[in-house]
Amino acid sequence: AVRKAERDPKRLSAFAHSAEALALTDDALALFEASAAAGNVEALAGAGRAALAGGRLSRAIELFAQYFDAGGRSFVARHAYGDALSGAQRRDAALRQYAFALEGARAEPAAAESLRVRVLCLIRLGRIAEAKPLIREALSARAGDTALRADIASALIDAKQLNLAERVLNSGT
């Protein structure tokens, strides 16, 4: 099936999303890159996510930069780009990407990942007081989402907000 999809960027991207969901980061990266090479700009963001998940920070940064240079506009990708830059110890550049991601997420409040990105970006930008009501809203809206709870707690720990991180993990607030 993959062989038939080699020239079809949409099919390649579909296979890549499946590999990504299964945490097969090497396969997802290769498939997203093939889809991008076949003309799918959005696949660059997927490739960036896969590279980031696989710990390939330099490659993730390169792919996200290509995505945005090609006109990509995803606030979720902006947030991930910020994470890649942060992981590479490029704090100022990461903060700029988080600010752009926050702006994009605010512009699309109904988007599926908007609330999560807003919360995480506010925490990363050090705007904890502004993030607190959104943390409660996010955890209430997605009460069973343990990945969201872990993401918020991790960002709070990075921001040295240990008491709040503990409350997020233990009580959801």
Side-chain angles (χ1 to χ4, degrees):
V2 172
R3 193 179 316 262
K4 286 183 180 180
E6 287 175 350
R7 286 185 267 270
D8 183 348
K10 287 184 180 186
R11 289 184 74 191
L12 284 167
S13 198
F15 285 126
H17 282 289
S18 296
E20 184 179 33
L22 294 170
L24 301 171
T25 56
D26 290 341
D27 294 334
L29 179 58
L31 288 163
F32 276 127
E33 286 180 325
S35 181
N40 182 357
V41 171
E42 292 301 314
L44 289 168
R49 285 192 317 270
L52 178 60
R56 297 182 179 120
L57 297 178
S58 296
R59 185 67 181 137
I61 290 167
E62 179 182 314
L63 288 161
F64 284 125
Q66 288 174 17
Y67 171 72
F68 291 111
D69 288 347
R73 300 173 40 89
S74 166
F75 63 82
V76 175
R78 282 274 182 209
H79 176 257
Y81 191 15
D83 285 348
L85 290 162
S86 181
Q89 306 302 311
R90 294 174 55 188
R91 180 171 165 65
D92 290 341
L95 291 176
R96 280 192 301 278
Q97 294 307 317
Y98 291 138
F100 287 139
L102 178 59
E103 183 180 310
R106 282 183 171 155
E108 296 184 49
E113 289 296 300
S114 179
L115 185 55
R116 182 184 75 82
V117 169
R118 284 184 285 153
V119 166
L120 294 174
C121 287
L122 285 169
I123 294 168
R124 298 287 187 208
L125 292 166
R127 294 160 54 181
I128 305 303
E130 198 176 337
K132 283 181 179 180
L134 292 179
I135 291 170
R136 283 189 286 276
E137 182 182 344
L139 294 177
S140 174
R142 292 168 54 179
D145 190 338
T146 57
L148 174 66
R149 185 178 302 278
D151 287 346
I152 292 171
S154 178
L156 287 166
I157 290 167
D158 290 346
K160 311 278 189 266
Q161 298 292 316
L162 304 181
N163 290 334
L164 185 52
E166 183 177 19
R167 285 198 315 263
V168 164
L169 289 172
N170 292 330
S171 69
T173 60

